[in-house]
Amino acid sequence: MNRLALFDCDGTLVDSQASICLAMEHCFAGQKLEPPARDAIRRIVGLSLIEAIAQLLPEAEDDLHRHLAEEYKRAYFALRTSGHIEDEPLYDGILEAVETLDANGWLLGVATGKSDRGLIRVLEAHGLRHRFVTLQTADRHPSKPHPSMIETAIAEAGASPETTVMIGDTSFDMAMAVAARAHPLGVAWGYHTPHDLHAAGAVRVVEHASAIPAHLEAL
């Protein structure tokens, strides 16, 4: 049975908080709404876009949530094409961790609340696209923590829940792994606290990406 290491993207592979916060602020301001605090925006990173906005604006109707989701996409694109948003940097040690896992025979994948286009852009910007055999995004799945992304990745990779690890920085990632019966591994450099991750089911929270390969081999 193949071994599968699934990574979240935002907050796990790359630090995208600056670009996400800026686009969300522009989105809300463009609709004459008070932009959420950045702490609040970071807390919803990882959810699919409509679900994320619904948490930021719970008193609004679903139609407004959907409208704001489209406005966010437009704001993000405008900010990127105008040069106000740059490529999100990889976290320290991530490239080496990915290369080590690949060399050790792990199949690699991504399960993210990003769109297909957004994920491919990030992976290609860092020369990582060829490392991943399965890519699961919000375009084709319910929002985290629904287990659909992990279940589809397992099927595509020929793995099993017992041989799959979900690596992420949010409670949504950990809860998704628990729901899919995969191993939940939290990372401490993202947008939710280690306490949040453990409470959602993380078996361990690593402090640096260099610790990921050894932890996976210990499983």
Side-chain angles (χ1 to χ4, degrees), residues 13-147:
L13 292 175
V14 296
D15 187 0
S16 50
Q17 61 177 306
S19 56
I20 291 172
C21 287
L22 186 60
M24 194 66 74
E25 289 164 350
H26 277 250
C27 162
F28 271 64
Q31 301 302 302
K32 305 295 190 295
L33 296 169
E34 181 70 23
R38 289 205 164 192
D39 282 347
I41 297 173
R42 284 189 287 268
R43 291 289 301 172
I44 53 81
V45 173
L47 294 174
S48 298
L49 192 50
I50 294 172
E51 286 77 8
I53 290 173
Q55 288 209 11
L56 292 173
L57 208 62
E59 69 278 10
E61 298 291 334
D62 183 62
D63 285 349
L64 181 56
H65 296 153
R66 294 179 180 278
H67 176 68
L68 286 171
E70 293 303 316
E71 290 302 310
Y72 173 90
K73 294 175 186 178
R74 280 190 276 270
Y76 193 98
F77 181 77
L79 289 165
R80 174 164 290 282
T81 54
S82 65
H84 289 88
I85 288 178
E86 299 179 351
D87 288 333
E88 298 93 338
L90 289 173
Y91 283 103
D92 184 48
I94 281 293
L95 177 59
E96 293 80 5
V98 166
E99 291 175 341
T100 299
L101 290 171
D102 195 9
N104 289 347
W106 285 81
L107 298 181
L108 305 178
V110 179
T112 177
K114 278 188 176 300
S115 66
D116 287 329
R117 183 173 67 176
L119 176 59
I120 294 299
R121 178 186 54 74
V122 167
L123 296 180
E124 290 185 344
H126 294 290
L128 288 175
R129 174 66 183 87
H130 68 289
R131 298 284 187 182
F132 296 95
V133 302
T134 180
L135 302 176
Q136 307 303 324
T137 75
D139 286 345
R140 288 167 283 113
H141 295 281
S143 179
K144 298 175 183 180
H146 192 285

